[in-house]
Amino acid sequence: MSSVASVRIHASQFPENVRRDLLASLRTRRANHKFHYDSVKQTQKWLTLHQAYSPTRTDMDCQTVYEQGFQAAAARIKSQRVHVIGLGCGGGQKDTRLLKLLKIRGREIFYSPCDVSTAMVLVARQTALAVVPEKNCFPFVCDLATADDLSADFDSRFTHHASRIITFFGMIPNFEPQIILPKLASLVRTKDLLLFSANLAPGNNYAAGMKKILPQYDNPLTRDWLLTFLLDLGVGLGDGELRFSVATGTLGLKRVVADFHFTRRCRIEVENAVFNFCAGETFRLFFSYRYTPERVCKILARYGLKVCGQWTAPSEAEGVFLCRKA
Ligand SMILES: C[S@@+](CC[C@H](N)C(=O)[O-])C[C@H]1O[C@@H](n2cnc3c(N)ncnc32)[C@H](O)[C@@H]1O
């Protein structure tokens, strides 16, 4: 394997745009969640907590649900060449399992790990190289929420002669759906398959299900990961406390929110921009929407995405959905 990796970087992640987004986060007291994956340190912290708490790592039944989705997608692919586009690929473990399956089925595989974090894209690339030839791997850094020319980019630059499977795993919880779903829908072409996963609130009682999953967030590894954003900007641990709660957001959807409550005055300076926080003020560090399978199907349909297969883990905490353009 070569010791050099070529990574394409979209303008949405050029320094001036990242700075604009950081200043907007500080001004609005709402962290854009992309900043939790910004540095190598944060990427490593997230990968560690994902390993410890994600049902896809800790629950064999949940892994099976992904396998079922992968099998169903692979069975629909008729062409010899398949291009997997991993949107928000993270460490690329799930995409690599899909790629491996396609390879076992005799397909020639191509992979575009896409993520806002360069470190994450490189980890995903490294993971995938166990099954994908280096020349068929196209790491791509972009901000899916702000880039508006990605479909032209994917269509022109990558393998238009291959079938495409777009993956969007574990992404929907951290975005406002009305912001990200139109973007996602615009990237899915008529013949593409979309594999989508969502974290769910288990059981028939939505509120009770939310209570049940709260420990997946309110734990030392997640606290440490989320606080890194503020600590790296100069906030001290003694300047406030991080509190998790359940709240209702867009379209009646429930979410876990993590707010930092300042208990004393604090000042953050980013180059020439100064942000003052008073005691009693809160800063939203993170949120994670939890859906139910019905809510997923309904919201995808709003954006012209039709679910043609779905698998839910016995724990009902995670679901995989195979979709097409309606
Ligand atoms: C919860 S992780 C999911 C990772 C992976 N898909 C999985 O299921 O293991 C969310 C991923 O989205 C990426 N991300 C966050 N905001 C993004 C944005 N605006 N555009 C692209 N990727 C983003 C993060 O860097 C992170 O890798």
Side-chain angles (χ1 to χ4, degrees), residues 70-259:
F70 297 163
Q71 294 279 3
R76 285 176 180 245
I77 298 290
K78 301 285 175 264
S79 70
Q80 176 54 23
R81 311 174 103 199
V82 191
H83 185 180
V84 173
I85 300 175
L87 300 180
C89 58
Q93 298 90 352
K94 294 177 189 128
D95 291 345
T96 298
R97 273 156 45 203
L98 169 62
L99 288 159
K100 197 169 174 184
L101 182 70
L102 292 164
K103 190 174 176 181
I104 290 169
R105 286 175 167 250
R107 306 288 181 233
E108 187 184 356
I109 48 176
F110 299 82
Y111 181 41
S112 295
C114 307
D115 202 283
V116 79
S117 154
T118 307
M120 213 61 104
V121 158
L122 288 171
V123 173
R125 170 186 175 273
Q126 183 78 15
T127 308
L129 289 187
V131 292
V132 184
E134 204 171 332
K135 66 176 177 40
N136 291 2
C137 191
F138 317 115
F140 187 44
V141 172
C142 62
D143 184 333
L144 291 168
T146 57
D148 49 18
D149 53 356
L150 292 181
S151 68
D153 194 85
F154 283 140
D155 293 351
S156 65
R157 169 129 184 130
F158 298 137
T159 48
H160 45 269
H161 42 280
S163 292
R164 303 197 317 185
I165 303 177
I166 296 176
T167 66
F168 195 72
F169 293 140
M171 293 291 283
I172 194 64
N174 307 129
F175 287 99
E176 292 294 351
Q178 72 278 15
I179 304 288
I180 201 65
L181 288 179
K183 302 265 183 192
L184 175 64
S186 74
L187 294 178
V188 180
R189 300 184 306 197
T190 316
K191 289 190 176 160
D192 292 344
L193 291 173
L194 168 68
L195 273 168
F196 178 103
S197 73
N199 303 74
L200 305 174
N204 295 329
N205 182 325
Y206 195 21
M210 293 300 294
K211 250 188 172 166
K212 201 166 166 190
I213 50 81
L214 200 55
Q216 282 180 23
Y217 302 87
D218 192 358
N219 55 65
L221 286 178
T222 306
R223 284 174 169 272
D224 178 49
W225 168 60
L226 290 176
L227 283 169
T228 304
F229 169 72
L230 286 179
L231 299 187
D232 285 355
L233 287 168
V235 175
L237 277 177
D239 290 334
E241 64 169 315
L242 182 57
R243 290 188 213 148
F244 289 83
S245 58
V246 173
T248 302
T250 309
L251 302 168
L253 292 165
K254 293 193 183 297
R255 56 185 179 177
V256 172
V257 299
D259 288 332

Side-chain angles (χ1 to χ4, degrees), residues 12-22 34-35 38:
S12 53
Q13 277 301 98
F14 284 0
E16 67 273 22
N17 292 327
V18 175
R19 178 185 147 88
R20 174 204 63 206
D21 296 340
L22 176 62
K34 75 175 181 176
F35 289 111
D38 218 20

Side-chain angles (χ1 to χ4, degrees), residues 62-73 97-98 101 320:
C62 187
Q63 292 177 19
T64 304
V65 161
Y66 277 87
E67 290 310 325
Q68 289 167 330
F70 297 163
Q71 294 279 3
R97 273 156 45 203
L98 169 62
L101 182 70
V320 175

